[in-house]
Amino acid sequence: GNIFILDDGRIGLIDFGQVKQVSSDYRKTVAKVILALDERKSDENPDDLAKIGNYASGLGIELKDDVPAHGQAAIAMWLFDGSVETFPDGYDENEMSPNSPVKAMKEFPSDLVLLARSTVLVKGLAKRFGVRWSLSQEWAPIARRVLNKGTDATAKGTVEQKGQCKPHRAKQQLKAWSEQKAKTVVTHLPPPMKKKALSAVLKHQQKRDAKKQKV
């Protein structure tokens, strides 16, 4: 895959060969879907499902003619919330199932392809470790910044207002984000793997401290 836990406990991300830039309006639409998912009262509340579906329809996903009323909401849950166990209208979280939300789609927008690919990677990693991971819950703070400030959001903040992201700032943000995510993942690991991961992190910290002392 494209996400690794390195020997020193850090998160390793590879393969950034494909980059997609989307419009500000489309980012805001995604943010609205994320917040609608995060703020819902339950997975079955009709008002919540209608709200999620309404925003999700703006993503450009074209559905088949025989799709039930909450098809858009089910697709949004499948894309952005790996913690969902019960999908509306009898949909199944298993992508290979005949009742998967994937089967309801007739056409998938190009603007959403790489984002969807990223969500599938994150959900797959979480599932491998037995963790029910809510992407919408994790991304909700970023979504709120996008809607409140109307600026591009990064993993730990916003890009420079003039559209220029300074290299050293981007490096610091990526490092801080990676360290935080590594801690979160390690916390949810099974005991044997958790012990090994913590040991690797400790060794890395000791080496770093030793280098600082020499300087």
Side-chain angles (χ1 to χ4, degrees), residues 27 145-146 149-166 169-170 173:
R27 286 194 292 272
R145 287 200 294 271
V146 170
K149 297 183 179 180
T151 56
D152 295 339
T154 62
K156 279 293 182 180
T158 56
V159 297
E160 302 298 325
Q161 292 186 358
K162 293 184 179 181
Q164 298 178 345
C165 184
K166 297 181 179 179
R169 180 176 176 81
Q173 291 175 340

Side-chain angles (χ1 to χ4, degrees), residues 14-98:
I14 66 170
D15 190 6
F16 288 88
Q18 299 183 70
V19 178
K20 176 65 179 180
Q21 183 175 8
V22 297
S23 68
S24 176
D25 288 341
Y26 198 82
R27 286 194 292 272
K28 290 177 181 178
T29 299
V30 173
K32 290 176 182 178
V33 175
I34 294 296
L35 290 183
L37 286 167
D38 181 59
E39 295 171 356
R40 70 187 188 276
K41 297 177 181 178
S42 74
D43 297 338
E44 302 173 349
N45 184 285
D47 292 337
D48 288 334
L49 293 176
K51 181 179 179 181
I52 294 169
N54 181 50
Y55 288 138
S57 64
L59 296 175
I61 300 174
E62 187 176 344
L63 305 184
K64 296 178 180 178
D65 296 335
D66 57 348
V67 172
H70 300 307
Q72 290 281 10
I75 291 174
M77 289 179 174
W78 172 75
L79 278 174
F80 301 115
D81 196 343
S83 68
V84 178
E85 296 183 3
T86 303
F87 285 78
D89 293 335
Y91 284 107
D92 191 333
E93 68 174 332
N94 186 347
E95 297 175 25
M96 305 305 294
S97 169

